[in-house]
Amino acid sequence: MAALVCMAAVFAGASRAFLTSVMFAFETTQQPHALLPLLGACAAAYLVSGLTMRHTIMTEKIARRGVRVPSDYAADYLDRIAVGEACSREVVALRGDESLAEVRARLNAGGAAFRHQGFPVVDAAGHAIGVITRRDLLDPQWHADTRIGALLKRPLLAVREDHSLREAADHMVEADVGRLVVVGRAPPHAMVGILTRGDLLAAHAQRLRQARHVDRKFRSNARPQA
């Protein structure tokens, strides 16, 4: 029985096919009394393999060819977070009928609210009509009397607050923009915030912190007590 258990454990660790290793050994030998030792040995081998080996015998050759092989299967983290949870709610909006001189004066004043690289633009009714960047506002080719609304280069690009960050990221890539206006889920879909690339990176950073915390906690619990 020892040889059977060792064989199954080696296969479970090398392939990380835990249940397959147990069932294969059990069905081959039909020894019920070996089931518990098989479960224990294969579980231990699987755990050691996961902590010490980056690839399995099934993916090692593929990885050596330069193909990235994920070591585990997990849901897309960005797909699990709603835009409304990650966006910035305190938005500094510019009116479309403001002159460029007025806006530049506020930018030059250096207030914390005007340190952003992009600003949503709203109409007289307060509805978002587009986004303008700091670069466009400071571009010397535009006359000081130019209205902000006249500088908008494209229609409004928005995402609803109940959409996922994955949908928002895809929208950013397709439109080649660095920020999206966030609107409410119910009509009239009023602006509730703005989502930037920095917000997406912050969500990734949160995932990394959580993963490191879980890993440290696991290793701490696995360390033998003196």
Side-chain angles (χ1 to χ4, degrees), residues 89-114:
R89 296 282 181 170
E90 298 180 1
V91 181
V92 177
L94 306 178
R95 297 195 319 274
D97 58 356
E98 284 186 281
S99 70
L100 194 54
E102 294 175 300
V103 175
R104 283 176 175 173
R106 282 188 281 171
L107 290 176
N108 293 331
F114 285 89

Side-chain angles (χ1 to χ4, degrees), residues 30-103:
Q30 294 293 319
Q31 297 185 28
H33 60 279
L35 186 57
L36 287 179
L38 279 172
L39 288 171
C42 289
Y46 184 90
L47 179 62
V48 172
S49 173
L51 293 175
T52 59
M53 295 174 55
R54 187 173 182 180
H55 301 290
T56 70
I57 58 174
M58 300 180 183
T59 60
E60 182 66 30
K61 284 189 176 181
I62 300 176
R64 289 179 181 178
R65 295 174 184 172
V67 179
R68 182 181 178 276
V69 182
S71 59
D72 55 2
Y73 300 93
D76 186 349
Y77 186 76
L78 293 182
D79 202 36
R80 295 156 49 190
I81 302 179
V83 169
E85 299 176 22
C87 69
S88 301
R89 296 282 181 170
E90 298 180 1
V91 181
V92 177
L94 306 178
R95 297 195 319 274
D97 58 356
E98 284 186 281
S99 70
L100 194 54
E102 294 175 300
V103 175

Side-chain angles (χ1 to χ4, degrees), residues 103-193:
V103 175
R104 283 176 175 173
R106 282 188 281 171
L107 290 176
N108 293 331
F114 285 89
R115 294 176 182 172
H116 304 293
Q117 297 302 312
F119 303 90
V121 180
V122 298
D123 59 16
H127 299 138
I129 57 176
V131 174
I132 191 168
T133 65
R134 176 182 289 268
R135 178 183 299 177
D136 291 331
L137 293 173
L138 299 179
D139 193 335
Q141 70 170 312
W142 304 117
H143 193 272
D145 293 333
T146 305
R147 299 300 166 181
I148 299 300
L151 300 179
L152 296 177
K153 297 180 178 179
R154 65 174 74 197
L156 174 67
L157 296 174
V159 62
R160 285 209 328 246
E161 61 179 338
D162 58 335
H163 285 170
S164 70
L165 288 185
R166 169 52 55 201
E167 293 174 297
D170 292 344
H171 194 12
M172 284 185 182
V173 172
E174 291 172 355
D176 191 23
V177 296
R179 56 195 58 83
L180 296 170
V181 171
V182 181
V183 298
R185 58 184 301 178
H189 304 301
M191 181 176 64
V192 298

